[in-house]
Amino acid sequence: MPWWNCILVVDDDLDLLRAYKEALELDRYEVALARNGFEALRLLDQGLRPALILLDLMMPGMNAWSFRLRQLEDPALASIPVIVLYSQDAGARAMNALGVDAFLEKPVDLDVLLAAVAAYARPAAFLGHTLQ
């Protein structure tokens, strides 16, 4: 997997992670997975530069607000677009405080997800890559 132009999916639900990965890979996107905000930050600290982060709102340990604070503090990471995935509305003011590019309500319709992702990333086929 390239360390750029992939989609980083961050969610504590393993079944959802697998479903997002499968759906995105079927559309020929490269996908990186993280089970929580700490794991996502570790990947980013190691040099991962995704075209987009799909970020679960509520996760144990590090929720979306904590992750975004850490992301925005790092100039190398601050410009990476983020779409928050949520199943529990935390209120408009709290969610808008995240300063993210978009919100998608769970369960996310596949066509809606792919349309949102297409605004930020290109499938590997468009970049001259082939998936193995």
Side-chain angles (χ1 to χ4, degrees):
M1 172 192 56
W3 281 75
W4 55 275
N5 195 56
C6 66
I7 310 301
L8 174 58
V9 184
V10 187
D11 200 307
D12 59 310
D13 185 321
L14 187 56
D15 291 332
L16 282 177
L17 275 180
R18 288 179 181 144
Y20 293 135
K21 180 176 177 22
E22 183 177 313
L24 291 167
E25 286 181 345
L26 280 173
D27 232 35
R28 301 191 57 84
Y29 289 100
E30 300 280 357
V31 181
L33 302 176
R35 297 276 317 260
N36 55 56
F38 295 112
E39 190 175 318
L41 287 172
R42 182 179 50 77
L43 289 170
L44 294 166
D45 287 343
Q46 291 173 353
L48 181 71
R49 292 299 178 265
L52 174 67
I53 299 172
L54 296 176
L55 179 65
D56 184 23
L57 181 67
M58 302 297 249
M59 295 176 288
M62 180 181 283
N63 62 24
W65 291 274
S66 298
F67 176 86
R68 285 290 287 164
L69 283 174
R70 297 274 302 272
Q71 179 194 6
L72 294 172
E73 287 174 352
D74 187 334
L77 307 177
S79 65
I80 299 171
V82 174
I83 295 176
V84 166
L85 307 169
Y86 70 97
S87 57
Q88 178 181 356
D89 192 338
R93 175 175 274 164
M95 289 178 65
N96 287 334
L98 287 165
V100 297
D101 297 87
F103 296 94
L104 295 177
E105 187 172 5
K106 293 179 181 179
V108 180
D109 178 88
L110 181 58
D111 291 331
V112 172
L113 175 68
L114 294 175
V117 167
Y120 299 96
R122 296 292 168 254
F126 289 125
L127 299 171
H129 296 129
T130 57
L131 297 177
Q132 276 122 16

